[in-house]
Amino acid sequence: MNFKSFIKDKILLGFLLLFGIATIEIFLIPYPFGNFIKIYIPVTIIFLYIIGLSIEYFIKRRFYKGLEDTLNNLEDKYLISEIIKVPSFMEGKILKDLLEQINKSMVENVNKYKYKQEDYKEYIELWIHEVKIPIASR
């Protein structure tokens, strides 16, 4: 995850914020506030928005970078859902839940084929035993 792609994802939210600031400024025109207030409000809103975006970016970047590093270091990649910690943001929680569901499905699928193989092995052993009895009785 790089900052450019993160900002690209947030561009619509940024435009909505700018529209909201423009609306506030338009509504402030008829009131006799000083220029300081008219400048302070949008600057404060934009500053807080940038701080919020930065915090969100660094939290997500740390999680996804850790996830990628963990995955690269694992021999058994399917164990990733067992190893990663529950993230603090909703997208990460959803991703972890999905990985756990995928892992569970994969384990069930492997077990299904394992049981089929065991049943087939028992069938072959039984068949060999049934064929062996008439041959041994001669």
Side-chain angles (χ1 to χ4, degrees):
M1 166 187 258
N2 61 18
F3 193 69
K4 186 177 179 181
S5 63
F6 178 77
I7 293 298
K8 211 178 207 182
D9 262 1
K10 302 294 180 179
I11 196 82
L12 178 63
L13 191 58
F15 283 132
L16 290 174
L17 179 75
L18 290 176
F19 176 75
I21 290 172
T23 304
I24 290 170
E25 289 297 313
I26 289 171
F27 284 134
L28 287 178
I29 289 173
Y31 296 102
F33 294 121
N35 286 337
F36 175 77
I37 297 294
K38 292 181 180 178
I39 293 173
Y40 178 77
I41 291 173
V43 168
T44 303
I45 292 172
I46 291 172
F47 180 71
L48 293 175
Y49 178 70
I50 290 172
I51 288 174
L53 276 182
S54 300
I55 291 170
E56 181 182 359
Y57 170 73
F58 286 114
I59 288 172
K60 288 182 177 182
R61 185 175 139 234
R62 183 179 58 194
F63 171 74
Y64 288 121
K65 183 70 174 152
L67 180 66
E68 185 179 8
D69 291 344
T70 303
L71 187 62
N72 289 335
N73 293 331
L74 273 177
E75 279 185 39
D76 300 327
K77 306 246 187 255
Y78 59 88
L79 294 175
I80 190 70
S81 64
E82 306 290 327
I83 294 174
I84 59 173
K85 297 174 185 172
V86 177
S88 60
F89 58 100
M90 187 53 74
E91 291 171 8
K93 290 177 184 178
I94 292 170
L95 178 64
K96 180 168 173 40
D97 288 342
L98 289 174
L99 285 173
E100 287 173 351
Q101 289 177 16
I102 290 168
N103 189 33
K104 181 182 176 196
S105 174
M106 190 258 322
V107 167
E108 289 172 356
N109 198 21
V110 167
N111 284 337
K112 181 176 78 173
Y113 285 105
K114 179 180 160 186
Y115 294 137
K116 282 184 177 183
Q117 184 179 14
E118 288 174 2
D119 287 345
Y120 184 70
K121 181 181 173 186
E122 288 176 14
Y123 169 75
I124 295 295
E125 288 174 356
L126 181 64
W127 183 82
I128 290 172
H129 183 68
E130 293 293 324
V131 169
K132 184 173 64 170
I133 292 175
I135 294 174
S137 64
R138 290 185 186 194

